[in-house]
């Protein structure tokens, strides 16, 4: 009988399954009698499920926040910015003109991580409509600008049409500025420009053809999109002059490395800055989400571990007589520990499986319906974004199982201290 062993007691021989620990654990786990341990088991499964669910939801929501908000910034400004070297000047201000250089553009495009290169410039301006005024920065772009990146944020109207001669007299306005100045589509507004050199003032009549909304107040209340040739005309720049370059990368994870490589390769009069350096407040806020996520992970892990340890202790105490009988029959402590570890493993994996289903289900429901809404002014998004990274979810489940299993070994050492005679008499 290769699959059986013999336990002898008082001269009698009994044939039992070889994997006795698993057999006993299965009988305990599926015992339908109403006992206090059944309530504790259900409570432990519920606590483990809620912990795993909370970790999955937290991970998916933090990933969603970071991806959605950072993509808004990247789509508006690119990943890396190249412009004239001015260390003491604010990066969110008018740029000093640089001459376009085909050799430098080729150098940038040859970088394996670079996807796209676009020219831009900004100019301080004052909008006037219905005797209301507002200071803005006009961001000038060229006709080859990849508008597909900003189309998702176009809430009304259309994209700018560029004239073949001269400059386009069309602009895009944010929804916030349009509401503040009571501007509608197709309205003509007066845009005033003041020279930073001699204080000379000039103005242009421009037509509002589109209204956008990114949800990032730093952009929506400040930037207006227009033709780069208009800025060249106002600043008296040459046709080959620009404010700088926006560089879009294939992967945002390579921002710092690309920026460092460009800093070494660019002329001394030029500089390269990652968009994280230009808008540190937004990315610092996103980094805080990592800390919040880690705190929730720790708290939920501790809750799951404490509940499972408590559950296993109660199971051992409730089965003290059974432990005593098994010891009297010659069972070793290791075999008895396996009984309870098998039982606890069933509880752990039931809780993890339930938490996985509930967590993923809630995340998918949010993706489809967006039923969790947020204050866009505070969080930059109107609905809580969700981004499920499956390998991270699987890693959370595996890590939870491993940590819980290691923690469950601790209470099983209590079995060593149980004496058979006293345990059999235990009530």
């Amino acid at each position: 009988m290769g699959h059986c062993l013999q336990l002898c007691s008082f001269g009698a021989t009994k044939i039992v399954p070889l994997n006795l620990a698993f057999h006993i654990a299965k009988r305990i786990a599926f015992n339908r009698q109403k006992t206090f341990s059944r309530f504790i088991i259900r409570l432990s499964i519920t606590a483990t499920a809620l912990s795993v669910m909370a970790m999955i939801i937290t991970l998916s929501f933090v990933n969603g926040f970071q991806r959605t908000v950072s993509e808004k910034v990247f789509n508006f400004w690119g990943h890396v910015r190249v412009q004239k070297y001015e260390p003491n000047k604010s990066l969110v201000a008018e740029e000093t003109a640089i001459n376009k250089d085909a050799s430098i553009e080729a150098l940038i495009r040859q970088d394996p991580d670079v996807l796209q290169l676009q020219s831009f410039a900004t100019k301080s301006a004052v909008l006037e409509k219905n005797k209301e005024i507002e200071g803005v920065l006009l961001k000038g772009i060229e006709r080859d600008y990849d508008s597909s990146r900003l189309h998702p944020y176009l809430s009304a109207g259309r994209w700018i049409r560029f004239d073949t001669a001269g400059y386009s007299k069309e602009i895009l306005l944010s929804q916030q500025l349009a509401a503040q100045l009571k501007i509608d589509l197709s309205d003509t507004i007066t845009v005033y420009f003041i020279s930073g050199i001699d204080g000379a003032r000039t103005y242009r009549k421009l037509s509002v053809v589109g209204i956008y909304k990114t949800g990032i107040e730093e952009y929506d209340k400040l930037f207006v999109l227009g033709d780069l040739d208009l800025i060249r005309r106002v600043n008296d720049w040459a046709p080959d002059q620009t404010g700088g370059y926006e560089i879009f990368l294939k992967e945002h994870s390579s921002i710092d490395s690309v920026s460092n490589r460009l800093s070494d390769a660019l002329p001394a009069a030029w500089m390269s800055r990652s968009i994280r350096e230009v808008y540190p407040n937004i990315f610092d806020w996103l980094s805080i989400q990592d800390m919040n996520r880690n705190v929730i992970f720790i708290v939920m892990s501790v809750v799951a571990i404490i509940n499972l340890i408590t559950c296993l202790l109660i199971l051992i105490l409730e089965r003290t007589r059974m432990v005593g009988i098994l010891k009297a029959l010659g069972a070793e402590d290791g075999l008895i520990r396996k009984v309870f570890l098998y039982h606890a493993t069933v509880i752990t994996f039931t809780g993890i499986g339930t938490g996985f289903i509930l967590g993923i289900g809630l995340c998918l429901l949010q993706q489809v319906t967006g039923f969790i809404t947020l204050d866009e002014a505070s969080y930059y998004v109107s609905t809580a974004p969700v981004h499920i990274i499956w390998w991270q979810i699987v890693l959370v489940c595996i890590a939870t199982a491993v940590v819980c299993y290691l923690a469950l070994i601790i209470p099983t050492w209590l079995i060593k201290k149980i004496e058979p005679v006293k345990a059999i008499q235990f009530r």
Side-chain angles (χ1 to χ4, degrees):
M1 289 181 237
H3 296 286
C4 297
L5 58 80
Q6 292 180 336
L7 284 180
C8 299
S9 179
F10 307 110
T13 301
K14 184 178 181 181
I15 306 249
V16 296
L18 180 62
N19 196 347
L20 178 61
F22 179 77
H23 178 71
I24 297 174
K26 184 173 67 172
R27 293 291 299 270
I28 297 173
F30 296 101
N31 183 6
R32 297 183 178 275
Q33 292 180 357
K34 292 185 179 181
T35 60
F36 179 68
S37 62
R38 286 191 66 188
F39 169 75
I40 296 299
I41 290 170
R42 290 175 181 175
L43 185 63
S44 297
I45 291 174
T46 302
T48 305
L50 290 176
S51 298
V52 172
M53 181 181 70
M55 287 189 282
I56 290 174
I57 293 172
T58 300
L59 189 62
S60 300
F61 277 48
V62 168
N63 288 337
F65 269 115
Q66 292 178 333
R67 186 183 71 162
T68 303
V69 175
S70 59
E71 279 185 353
K72 286 185 178 184
V73 179
F74 297 146
N75 288 338
F76 203 95
W77 279 120
H79 298 89
V80 178
R81 179 190 291 187
V82 170
Q83 61 190 80
K84 189 174 181 63
Y85 180 68
E86 297 175 287
N88 298 322
K89 185 177 181 181
S90 171
L91 291 176
V92 187
E94 292 185 25
E95 301 79 23
T96 300
I98 57 175
N99 293 318
K100 285 188 173 183
D101 190 316
S103 61
I104 294 178
E105 291 182 5
L107 174 69
I108 295 173
R109 288 192 173 97
Q110 286 172 3
D111 190 292
D113 293 318
V114 171
L115 179 65
Q116 198 172 31
L117 179 71
Q118 298 178 158
S119 295
F120 81 98
T122 59
K123 178 69 178 176
S124 297
V126 176
L127 305 184
E128 189 275 328
K129 176 68 174 176
N130 302 322
K131 297 183 179 180
E132 297 284 343
I133 62 172
E134 184 66 30
V136 297
L137 272 177
L138 173 65
K139 178 182 177 181
I141 55 179
E142 295 186 308
R143 64 180 68 252
D144 61 351
Y145 187 87
D146 185 6
S147 62
S148 64
R149 299 181 183 275
L150 294 182
H151 268 303
Y153 312 119
L154 197 63
S155 57
R158 58 173 175 79
W159 190 250
I160 300 170
R161 291 173 183 161
F162 294 88
D163 296 336
T164 54
Y167 62 87
S168 175
K169 296 181 176 60
E170 298 178 346
I171 61 170
L172 262 63
L173 210 62
S174 73
Q175 186 173 311
Q176 182 175 343
L177 285 172
Q180 184 175 341
L181 299 178
K182 300 178 182 178
I183 298 173
D184 295 322
L185 283 176
S186 303
D187 281 356
T188 298
I189 62 175
T190 305
V191 183
Y192 294 92
F193 302 97
I194 300 175
S195 173
I197 300 175
D198 55 10
R201 187 180 72 173
T202 184
Y203 70 91
R204 296 291 188 277
K205 295 283 188 179
L206 302 177
S207 176
V208 178
V209 297
I211 295 176
Y212 75 87
K213 181 183 179 182
T214 65
I216 301 179
E217 189 177 6
E218 286 85 343
Y219 296 164
D220 292 351
K221 72 178 182 180
L222 183 61
F223 288 100
V224 175
L225 298 178
D227 192 348
L228 179 54
D229 283 330
L230 169 60
I231 295 179
R232 291 191 179 108
R233 181 74 62 88
V234 172
N235 287 343
D236 198 22
W237 288 355
D240 64 342
Q241 287 185 306
T242 185
Y245 295 103
E246 295 173 352
I247 301 171
F248 293 89
L249 306 180
K250 296 175 183 177
E251 296 291 340
H252 66 82
S253 57
S254 59
I255 288 178
D256 294 330
S257 59
V258 171
S259 181
N260 293 333
R261 288 199 298 268
L262 291 178
S263 294
D264 296 336
L266 291 172
W270 291 27
M271 70 175 181
S272 171
R273 291 288 184 271
S274 72
I275 202 64
R276 293 194 182 110
E277 297 175 84
V278 181
Y279 292 100
N281 58 323
I282 295 177
F283 289 96
D284 288 345
W285 178 80
L286 291 176
S287 298
I288 292 175
Q289 307 308 312
D290 289 333
M291 183 177 67
N292 295 338
R293 176 199 62 199
N294 295 338
V295 169
I296 292 175
F297 272 33
I298 293 172
V299 172
M300 292 297 102
S301 298
V302 170
V303 168
I305 291 171
I306 290 176
N307 273 277
L308 287 170
I309 290 176
T310 304
C311 174
L312 192 54
L313 283 172
I314 292 174
L315 287 175
I316 293 173
L317 292 174
E318 190 181 57
R319 299 285 175 174
T320 302
R321 294 189 71 228
M322 182 192 77
V323 173
I325 292 171
L326 288 174
K327 282 191 173 186
L329 291 174
E332 297 180 352
D333 291 340
L335 183 142
I336 301 173
R337 282 202 301 270
K338 285 182 181 180
V339 172
F340 292 100
L341 283 176
Y342 282 144
H343 193 183
T345 300
V346 172
I347 297 171
T348 301
F349 280 96
T350 303
I352 291 174
T354 304
F356 173 82
I357 294 172
L358 293 176
I360 293 298
L362 186 61
C363 290
L364 293 176
L365 182 64
Q366 173 64 15
Q367 279 185 334
V368 174
T369 64
F371 69 96
I372 301 177
T373 59
L374 299 170
D375 179 11
E376 193 169 20
S378 301
Y379 295 96
Y380 304 131
V381 288
S382 57
T383 60
V386 174
H387 179 45
I388 300 174
I389 302 178
W390 289 104
W391 69 264
Q392 292 182 352
I393 304 299
V394 173
L395 186 61
V396 164
C397 294
I398 293 174
T400 302
V402 171
V403 171
C404 290
Y405 183 78
L406 293 176
L408 287 170
I409 295 176
I410 298 172
T412 59
W413 291 102
L414 180 65
I415 294 170
K416 274 190 172 183
K417 298 183 179 181
I418 298 178
E419 298 178 7
V421 174
K422 293 181 179 180
I424 293 173
Q425 296 173 350
F426 181 78
R427 289 290 185 270

